[in-house]
Amino acid sequence: MTTDVDLAAVARLIAEPARAAMLDALLSGEALAAGELARAGQVRPSTASGHLAQLVAGGLVEVAHSGRHRYFRLASPDVAHALEALGAISPPRPVRSLRQSRTDEAMTLARTCYDHLAGVVAVALVDAFVARSLLTAGGDGFTLTPAGAEALADAGIDIADARASRRAFARSCLDFTERRPHLAGALGAAVCAHVLAEGWFVRRAPGHRALRITDEGRRQLAKRWDITTP
Amino acid sequence: MTTDVDLAAVARLIAEPARAAMLDALLSGEALAAGELARAGQVRPSTASGHLAQLVAGGLVEVAHSGRHRYFRLASPDVAHALEALGAISPPRPVRSLRQSRTDEAMTLARTCYDHLAGVVAVALVDAFVARSLLTAGGDGFTLTPAGAEALADAGIDIADARASRRAFARSCLDFTERRPHLAGALGAAVCAHVLAEGWFVRRAPGHRALRITDEGRRQLAKRWDITTP
DNA sequence: ACGACCTTTCGGTGCCGACCGAACTTTCCC
DNA sequence: GGGAAAGTTCGGTCGGCACCGAAAGGTCGT
């Protein structure tokens, strides 16, 4: 493996405002169609098509054909991680509207970070796992204890499936609003998929990261994990 | 805090090959003068000056005046982290020369990663610390045990000073050649400063990350930590 | 005080790439 | 098969910005 990498080549792809907006939309973890991404980037479909071709050629994004649609998603968790790290040193954009400041508030509470949960709730959940010794903190992430494996399996999360994947099992990821780690990796993705499937949260808008917690979610979090939410 | 950040603004700064080369040079952790950075970016001083002004304005780089020189360094460990994360998804540059492939080999063995150690040796050192229970792995990093504090203080590392800094004390950082975590944060910086001061390693060239291990370093690593190096 | 050195400012040139509309391909639906 | 919808390709336009050289601003030696 070579140590001399072309930083500028990747940065150039992210540097274009339209492409950056597309990548931001893809950070929701969803696969989005070319047209939706054109809207996210506020450019015409023809322009978006060129951008997407570049992102695919650069290895940041993968594409899946489905009929007359083409669905794009981030190529790997590493890409999501790099985007998050870049976000941590990016200047905040001036708040434009009341609507945006409301979205901001919502995102602080709960959002997706690529394919796992982030925000106040995600950090609280990890804390609850650790406090109950279901998870222990480790150098490059977390370790699931036997008790943890049992508890999460009981809760309906497919641990075996998560272990089978080739991804890191239980990574930690720095929450960029809380500035504390939350659960990422295959296990983080499994937990996120489960709580969405169970209807604890719903996505506020397609292609956006913000999640709305449902009454059911509020109830379950309080009952199972003793987490109260505003 | 706002969640809507301008990814493109930071990426634009990194996207220029000359600026990327300068940032790469600064990843050595050293503060470098404008002229040295001009050479690193392979541009005229006048061009470099403009680039550096942009990097400072963008918050990626800080400047310190010293006589007729101006020394630049990365503004924060977060910047270094973002650059590393970006490096992990960047395409390798084609190997140009035998000389470069030798540098590559050297960097795989030992290098700086901003202000701490990276490479085979860094990972081996962390492993040794953990094996001796001087360090335990934690969710967002490591924890220094009482035995560890004593052992490292005995070795001549200023633990109190590292603890006093406002930085995270013992972070973990993914080594991008080894793909395993090594020690970062204030403690990582202290360890790196110590081994450089003691002459275990010397920098191969100013503004480059590669380190050469000295005979003294080889001896000490073998004696104190039972690490043998090729 | 003078020259040497490091760095920045300014004006002018040139190129890369983002953008759009129009035309074309592919797929779906009726 | 016809029409609509999604996406891509192509040609032409235009703006932003990296680049350099020349000259000026500071700072250090002697």
Side-chain angles (χ1 to χ4, degrees):
Chain A
M1 109 158 266
T2 177
T3 57
D4 190 30
V5 294
D6 193 356
L7 271 191
V10 184
R12 194 190 71 79
L13 293 174
I14 309 172
E16 219 299 312
R19 285 194 294 262
M22 292 176 178
L23 290 170
D24 187 59
L26 291 173
L27 261 183
S28 69
E30 294 178 294
L32 297 170
E36 298 176 288
L37 290 168
R39 236 167 297 131
Q42 308 198 351
V43 289
R44 300 278 132 202
S46 61
T47 305
S49 177
H51 285 320
L52 289 167
Q54 288 191 55
L55 291 174
V56 170
L60 295 191
V61 160
E62 283 177 350
V63 62
H65 299 252
S66 169
R68 57 183 162 181
H69 297 273
R70 297 183 69 199
Y71 288 98
F72 296 86
R73 56 183 162 79
L74 296 186
S76 77
D78 282 351
V79 174
H81 176 234
L83 292 173
E84 289 279 330
L86 219 49
I89 60 168
S90 296
R93 227 190 289 268
V95 176
R96 282 191 222 296
S97 62
L98 181 59
R99 181 200 175 128
Q100 189 193 324
S101 83
R102 271 211 224 93
T103 312
D104 266 16
E105 231 173 274
M107 278 190 62
T108 306
L109 183 63
R111 64 180 183 277
T112 51
C113 173
Y114 185 47
D115 62 1
H116 55 272
L117 291 176
V120 172
V121 172
V123 171
L125 209 51
V126 165
D127 284 351
F129 289 175
V130 171
R132 286 169 172 70
S133 299
L134 307 183
L135 217 55
T136 56
D140 51 344
F142 298 98
T143 310
L144 191 64
T145 63
E150 196 176 331
L152 293 189
D154 277 357
I157 293 165
D158 193 339
I159 303 292
D161 193 55
R163 279 212 198 279
S165 110
R166 275 181 320 175
R167 302 176 55 178
F169 178 64
R171 264 188 166 291
S172 79
C173 172
L174 186 65
D175 193 294
F176 87 104
T177 51
E178 297 299 294
R179 302 267 157 189
R180 300 193 39 217
H182 57 238
L183 180 63
L187 184 59
V191 168
C192 180
H194 177 258
V195 296
L196 283 175
E198 294 287 305
W200 297 17
F201 299 91
V202 294
R203 202 171 285 284
R204 282 174 182 265
H208 282 274
R209 280 184 274 174
L211 297 176
R212 189 169 59 73
I213 183 168
T214 62
D215 289 340
E216 171 67 9
R218 228 177 275 280
R219 203 158 36 233
Q220 293 285 352
L221 282 174
K223 190 179 106 190
R224 291 179 182 260
W225 305 109
D226 203 20
I227 294 169
T228 57
T229 46
Chain B
M1 109 157 265
T2 177
T3 57
D4 188 29
V5 294
D6 193 357
L7 270 191
V10 185
R12 194 190 70 80
L13 293 174
I14 309 172
E16 218 298 314
R19 284 195 294 263
M22 292 176 179
L23 290 170
D24 187 59
L26 291 173
L27 261 183
S28 68
E30 294 179 294
L32 297 170
E36 298 177 286
L37 290 168
R39 235 167 298 132
Q42 306 197 355
V43 289
R44 299 281 130 197
S46 62
T47 304
S49 177
H51 284 319
L52 289 167
Q54 289 190 57
L55 291 174
V56 171
L60 295 190
V61 160
E62 282 177 351
V63 60
H65 299 254
S66 169
R68 54 185 164 182
H69 297 273
R70 297 185 70 198
Y71 288 99
F72 296 85
R73 56 183 164 76
L74 296 187
S76 77
D78 281 351
V79 174
H81 177 235
L83 291 173
E84 289 280 329
L86 218 49
I89 59 168
S90 296
R93 225 192 290 270
V95 176
R96 282 191 220 298
S97 62
L98 180 60
R99 180 199 178 129
Q100 188 193 323
S101 82
R102 271 212 223 91
T103 311
D104 265 16
E105 229 173 275
M107 278 189 63
T108 306
L109 184 63
R111 64 180 183 278
T112 51
C113 173
Y114 185 45
D115 61 1
H116 55 270
L117 291 175
V120 172
V121 173
V123 171
L125 210 50
V126 164
D127 285 349
F129 288 174
V130 171
R132 286 169 173 70
S133 298
L134 308 183
L135 217 54
T136 56
D140 50 345
F142 297 98
T143 309
L144 191 64
T145 64
E150 196 177 332
L152 293 189
D154 276 357
I157 292 165
D158 193 340
I159 304 292
D161 194 54
R163 278 212 198 278
S165 108
R166 277 179 320 176
R167 303 177 53 179
F169 178 63
R171 260 187 168 293
S172 79
C173 173
L174 187 64
D175 193 294
F176 87 104
T177 51
E178 296 299 294
R179 301 270 156 188
R180 299 194 39 216
H182 58 237
L183 180 62
L187 184 59
V191 169
C192 179
H194 178 258
V195 297
L196 283 176
E198 294 287 305
W200 295 18
F201 299 90
V202 293
R203 202 172 285 286
R204 283 174 182 265
H208 281 274
R209 280 184 273 174
L211 296 176
R212 188 170 59 74
I213 183 168
T214 63
D215 288 342
E216 171 66 9
R218 228 177 274 281
R219 203 157 38 230
Q220 293 286 350
L221 283 174
K223 192 178 106 191
R224 291 177 182 259
W225 305 108
D226 204 22
I227 295 170
T228 57
T229 48

